[in-house]
Amino acid sequence: MLTPQDELLAHQLPTTFDHVQQSDLRWTERVVLYGFDTTGEISVMTGMARYPNRNVLDAYAMVTVGGKTAHVVRLSREIGDRYDGIADWQVGPYKYEIVEPLRKVRATLGDNEHGVRLQLDFDAQFPAYEQEPAFFRSRGRVREDARRYYQNGRVSGWIEVAGTCYEIDPETWWFGRDHSWGTRHGGGGGSLGEGDGLQPGDIPDGVLYYMGIFQFEDELVHFAQRETADGQRWHFEGTVLAPIDSGRPPAPIATTDHALTFRDDFRIVSGGSFTVRAADGSDREFTITPVSDFWPGLAGYDNYRGYASGLWKGRDWSDGFTADLTDTADLKQVSMLSETFCRIETAGKVGYGLVEMVFLGRNARYGYAGY
C-alpha cells in the first residue's frame, strides 16, 4: 500500500513504506522525549511507537509531579490505512511532528478526558548521534537487532495536569530525545512474540546496564555499558560531543567505571560517581546527585494495569490514571528499568543529566546475592 512516505527518494527495500524487511512481531520503531525542571518539581516522558507487524501505533505522556505522583495517558490505534503526513504522526489527541529534521520536533497532547495536556517544542543544542549497533543472539535466535540515535536540546511550551498549567522555562529545564528501530527485547513491545510454544529466554544470574547522558554548556557526555554479575563488560558505547554547529568533531570514550550507592527500596542510584576515560587515556570523574526519578514501565514499557506498548487494544483506545510513587509494592511491577535525573559535577563544572539503569540479580561488586 502506498503511503505519504513513498513520495521520498528514500526507499531501501523493493516494497512500500508500510512494510519492514522482517516479520518478527517484536519489530518496533519508537520516538521518546524526556526532561525535567532542574528544581525537581516536575518531569515529563512522552513518545510513540509503531509496530508494523502487529498493525499497532501507540503513544503516551507521563508527567511526574513532586516525586510522588505520576499522571499517565496511554493511547493506541490500528495503523490500517491511516498514514499521516511525511513529517507528523497522530494517535488520537496525540501528535508528533518533525519541524526540522535532526534539529526540531514537537509533541502535543490535545484535549482529552484524562486530565493531561501538553505541548513540547524541542530545539537541538547538540547534534544527533548514533548508538553503537546492538546485535545479540541467544540459542541461535536473534535477541536484539536495533539502532538508535540520541539528541539533547532546549525545550519550550507547557504542561497541564489535574487543572494546573506549568509553563516551561527553557533556562531551567534539561531535555533530550531518542529515536530507535529494530527488533527489541525486554519490557513492553520487546516481549511480544514470546508466547506459548517457544523455549523461555535465558535468565542470567545478574545483569547491570547503565547509561549516562550528562550535559554541560560546552559539551555533552554520553556512555552506556552492559555488565555481567561479575563485572565483565559485554556491550559499550561512549562519546563526548560539542554543541551543534561548533565544527568540533565528537571524541570517543574508551571506557567507564562506577562507584555508586543505591536506594534501600530499589536498586536505583542514590549517589556516587562515574569515571570516564577518554581515548587519550585521561580520566574524569562525574559526581551525581539525584534530583528526581521516573519509571517508563508505568507508561507502557512494562505490562501495567492491563496494558503494554504494542499490545492490540482495538481500532482506537485510550486510558489514563495517576500512580502513587510512594507505593513501593505497586512500583515493583515496573521497577526493572529506572530513570534518574541528576545534578552532575566534574572539574569545577556543574551540569544536569540522566542515569538510566537496569540492575537485577547477583552482583559481586555491590554485594547483592541474587534477585
Side-chain angles (χ1 to χ4, degrees), residues 112-312:
N112 62 83
E113 61 184 307
H114 306 300
V116 178
R117 301 192 307 138
L118 56 79
Q119 180 175 315
L120 305 173
D121 287 280
F122 173 92
D123 194 349
Q125 289 176 284
F126 292 85
Y129 57 99
E130 290 185 71
Q131 177 192 49
E132 288 294 313
F135 182 87
F136 304 103
R137 281 193 174 100
S138 175
R139 301 169 181 164
R141 184 179 183 217
V142 173
R143 182 169 179 262
E144 181 178 7
D145 185 7
R147 302 294 184 271
R148 178 185 280 106
Y149 63 82
Y150 299 93
Q151 188 168 43
N152 269 52
R154 292 164 64 89
V155 65
S156 59
W158 51 270
I159 299 169
E160 183 181 295
V161 291
T164 300
C165 188
Y166 300 85
E167 295 289 339
I168 295 174
D169 181 354
E171 299 300 321
T172 64
W173 273 70
W174 180 99
F175 212 79
R177 72 182 185 107
D178 72 60
H179 184 166
S180 61
W181 58 96
T183 302
R184 308 289 293 270
H185 73 96
S191 298
L192 299 174
E194 302 284 356
D196 294 339
L198 290 179
Q199 181 184 22
D202 290 314
I203 300 177
D205 62 342
V207 62
L208 171 57
Y209 153 75
Y210 61 84
M211 178 180 72
I213 305 176
F214 300 162
Q215 182 177 337
F216 304 90
E217 185 175 345
D218 61 341
E219 64 177 349
L220 183 76
V221 180
H222 170 268
F223 54 85
Q225 184 158 303
R226 306 189 207 193
E227 301 179 7
T228 68
D230 294 309
Q232 179 182 359
R233 185 172 84 176
W234 57 277
H235 191 238
F236 175 78
E237 58 184 318
T239 308
V240 179
L241 294 103
I244 199 167
D245 297 329
S246 68
R248 287 157 46 197
I253 293 172
T255 190
T256 61
D257 197 6
H258 46 88
L260 304 172
T261 58
F262 302 92
R263 288 171 39 168
D264 293 333
D265 51 355
F266 295 106
R267 294 193 207 178
I268 296 173
V269 290
S270 60
S273 65
F274 291 95
T275 299
V276 171
R277 173 163 292 177
D280 64 6
S282 60
D283 288 344
R284 278 197 292 170
E285 184 177 66
F286 295 83
T287 301
I288 64 171
T289 302
V291 175
S292 61
D293 301 302
F294 68 98
W295 286 266
L298 295 170
Y301 279 63
D302 285 305
N303 198 318
Y304 181 74
R305 301 195 186 190
Y307 172 80
S309 178
L311 293 182
W312 171 256

Side-chain angles (χ1 to χ4, degrees), residues 19 44 107 113 209 337 368:
H19 292 85
V44 63
E113 61 184 307
Y209 153 75
L337 174 65
Y368 291 101

Side-chain angles (χ1 to χ4, degrees), residues 49-105:
R50 175 176 172 260
Y51 299 84
N53 296 329
R54 299 184 68 88
N55 195 25
V56 169
L57 184 71
D58 55 36
Y60 66 91
M62 177 172 65
V63 180
T64 301
V65 179
K68 296 180 179 180
T69 306
H71 301 259
V72 181
V73 174
R74 308 182 296 190
L75 309 107
S76 179
R77 70 166 172 87
E78 71 166 347
I79 297 173
D81 60 356
R82 293 187 288 169
Y83 278 84
D84 303 304
I86 291 172
D88 59 84
W89 296 269
Q90 282 191 268
V91 183
Y94 188 92
K95 186 175 185 179
Y96 181 86
E97 303 170 76
I98 301 170
V99 180
E100 183 179 351
L102 299 180
R103 284 183 176 263
K104 297 182 180 181
V105 299

